[in-house]
Amino acid sequence: METVKVKPHQCLGDLALQGKGSMQALFDFAVVNNCSITDDLVAGNTLLVPDIAVIDKRIFQQLRDAAVIPANGFTAADEAAMKGGIGYMGIQIDCRVS
Amino acid sequence: MARTINEIQEDIIRQVKASHTLAPLNSTSKTAVWRMWTYIVAVSTWALENLFDQHKVEINTLINEKAPHSLRWYANKAKEFQYGSELLKDEDYYDNTGLTTEQVQERKIIAYSAVTEQSKGLRLKVARVVNGDLNALLPVQLAAFREYMSRIKDAGVNPLHIESKEPDSLKLTLHVYFNPLVLNANGYRLDGTSREQPVRTQVKEYLKNQPFNGTLVLAYLIDALQQVDGVVIPHITQAQARYGDLPYTPFDVKYNPDAGYLRIIDEDDLQIFYLPQSVIK
């Protein structure tokens, strides 16, 4: 089975878009990799690509031609970094008690 | 079965258009905010529908695994056997992590299995495929398979006879009334499109295509021979079969192969006499 390497900030939906041209492949990716559709992926990991045909050839080709790598992964850490504020602070991470 | 994102979105848009209170949402732009929202909702619904599907699959698997072991369970379990793999401890399945699908398929050597109930215990017949045809398991493979079955079988199923035998041998004598415009007196095609005798090939193909542990019915074989171009009347004058070292026994109507399948082992076992016959109107 084909494999794909996860780039930083990519989520499973990005991989579905990049590999099969459509979000419709999201569940196929989740099933072959035995993970949840909302799991945070670790950059550098290798995931399996499901054995199905490209769903939307136009989008698949456009992304490929423009060498665009979709990366919309948004982890809890990213959220805290963007929003900031006391509600998103972690003790001993960005909230030092001295 | 989950609908596609497009189907769901079209459904939502149809509802929006039908609604009087939502009439102000009339922008035809493909990227109109309201249309984007329908897409977002459609994707969420689609995800949920897919989750339901996955859930159903998981529950079905659980139910099937819990079901009492039927004859079909034994037959299916036999096909799951992987030559060269170790079973998980106290389980009846393998851990295939690290193996590719191809490697797993390569290890699954048993292509056909059939289970019959006997007055005492069960009888399990298996066969593998070698060069496109059925064949018996090698002794070393059979030993591994016996160990596998003895580990996973239900307690009390005793004895569990496991067999993988050479095919039963079939002897046939045929009188074929042929159309002299298509075939010659030796059974070969006049136009030379095939080097084999079509009738001989058809008999062998028919035996090959029989279901595993299926019954050979001579009337069905005749029907198959009737399909051969140039054959006017196929007539079976004698049919004999044997298994193991037993002598050949003739049969008139049908034969249930002991090994689960039967073959013409020696070319001379299939005797065909060709008699010219013009087409009967």
Side-chain angles (χ1 to χ4, degrees):
Chain A
M1 206 180 264
E2 223 181 307
T3 56
V4 62
K5 210 162 206 174
V6 180
K7 303 272 182 351
H9 289 275
Q10 277 200 308
C11 63
L12 216 53
D14 294 324
L15 293 180
L17 214 57
Q18 181 188 326
K20 302 293 170 190
S22 168
M23 284 290 281
Q24 304 262 14
L26 180 58
F27 275 88
D28 298 293
F29 270 89
V31 170
V32 292
N33 292 296
N34 197 22
C35 65
S36 156
I37 53 169
T38 51
D39 273 357
D40 285 341
L41 305 182
V42 180
N45 276 6
T46 308
L47 292 186
L48 296 170
V49 177
D51 243 349
I52 53 167
V54 173
I55 295 169
D56 193 327
K57 286 189 182 140
R58 194 172 61 92
I59 292 190
F60 174 78
Q61 204 53 47
Q62 267 185 358
L63 288 176
R64 185 156 281 199
D65 290 348
V68 171
I69 293 165
N72 300 296
F74 194 63
T75 61
D78 294 334
E79 195 179 357
M82 274 174 67
K83 290 187 174 165
I86 195 95
Y88 294 96
M89 283 181 178
I91 294 190
Q92 293 306 326
I93 299 171
D94 49 8
C95 173
R96 295 272 150 90
V97 184
S98 50
Chain B
M1 191 62 196
R3 294 171 293 167
T4 63
I5 298 177
N6 283 346
E7 280 170 359
I8 301 171
Q9 194 188 7
E10 276 167 22
D11 204 22
I12 299 173
I13 292 176
R14 211 176 307 124
Q15 295 294 335
V16 168
K17 286 190 175 156
S19 159
H20 183 66
T21 44
L22 294 177
L25 300 179
N26 55 6
S27 168
T28 49
S29 165
K30 276 194 169 177
T31 51
V33 174
W34 72 274
R35 209 177 279 268
M36 301 289 237
W37 273 110
T38 59
Y39 185 75
I40 293 168
V41 176
V43 172
S44 323
T45 313
W46 168 81
L48 196 63
E49 288 186 11
N50 268 286
L51 287 174
F52 286 149
D53 277 1
Q54 296 295 331
H55 180 65
K56 194 173 164 191
V57 171
E58 273 175 39
I59 296 294
N60 276 339
T61 320
L62 277 177
I63 293 172
N64 288 342
E65 281 171 2
K66 288 259 186 288
H69 296 171
S70 56
L71 292 184
R72 207 179 54 244
W73 181 87
Y74 277 90
N76 287 338
K77 241 3 195 177
K79 285 190 203 159
E80 296 283 298
F81 168 66
Q82 287 176 215
Y83 182 57
S85 295
E86 168 68 315
L87 282 167
L88 273 180
K89 194 175 183 311
D90 294 334
E91 297 291 355
D92 61 356
Y93 50 85
Y94 295 100
D95 178 13
N96 282 333
T97 40
L99 291 178
T100 62
T101 327
E102 288 80 26
Q103 282 172 322
V104 172
Q105 281 311 322
E106 215 169 275
R107 289 179 182 209
K108 288 189 177 169
I109 54 171
I110 290 176
Y112 293 96
S113 62
V115 190
T116 45
E117 216 166 358
Q118 295 183 315
S119 54
K120 263 190 169 187
L122 294 178
R123 186 167 176 215
L124 178 56
K125 299 177 196 177
V126 289
R128 63 186 178 132
V129 171
V130 182
N131 297 332
D133 199 4
L134 294 184
N135 213 319
L137 261 63
L138 299 173
V140 56
Q141 293 171 332
L142 192 59
F145 179 61
R146 282 212 167 100
E147 173 62 20
Y148 164 81
M149 283 313 291
S150 73
R151 279 211 219 167
I152 66 164
K153 76 181 175 80
D154 284 296
V157 177
N158 198 16
L160 175 63
H161 287 293
I162 295 173
E163 290 171 351
S164 182
K165 292 184 177 173
E166 295 292 325
D168 288 21
S169 167
L170 177 70
K171 261 189 185 179
L172 274 183
T173 311
L174 291 174
H175 280 82
V176 173
Y177 294 78
F178 67 94
N179 178 355
L181 293 180
V182 182
L183 299 177
N184 69 17
N186 292 324
Y188 292 95
R189 284 189 68 87
L190 290 178
D191 60 7
T193 47
S194 162
R195 287 183 169 192
E196 312 257 322
Q197 297 177 20
V199 177
R200 195 170 274 276
T201 320
Q202 179 78 342
V203 172
K204 289 185 184 164
E205 278 301 308
Y206 182 79
L207 294 178
K208 253 191 192 181
N209 293 336
Q210 280 264 298
F212 188 67
N213 211 26
T215 307
L216 172 72
V217 181
L218 292 180
Y220 297 168
L221 174 61
I222 291 175
D223 289 346
L225 291 177
Q226 204 94 57
Q227 306 299 322
V228 179
D229 192 20
V231 171
V232 185
I233 317 168
H235 178 54
I236 298 175
T237 46
Q238 200 181 35
Q240 295 176 313
R242 75 158 182 191
Y243 61 93
D245 294 331
L246 294 173
Y248 280 96
T249 20
F251 62 97
D252 303 330
V253 181
K254 60 191 174 78
Y255 176 74
N256 213 347
D258 187 69
Y261 57 117
L262 80 173
R263 294 286 179 269
I264 305 272
I265 290 176
D266 199 342
E267 284 296 317
D268 293 341
D269 288 348
L270 178 58
Q271 285 196 323
I272 309 177
F273 299 100
Y274 291 96
L275 308 160
Q277 167 75 49
S278 49
V279 174
I280 299 167
K281 285 175 186 158

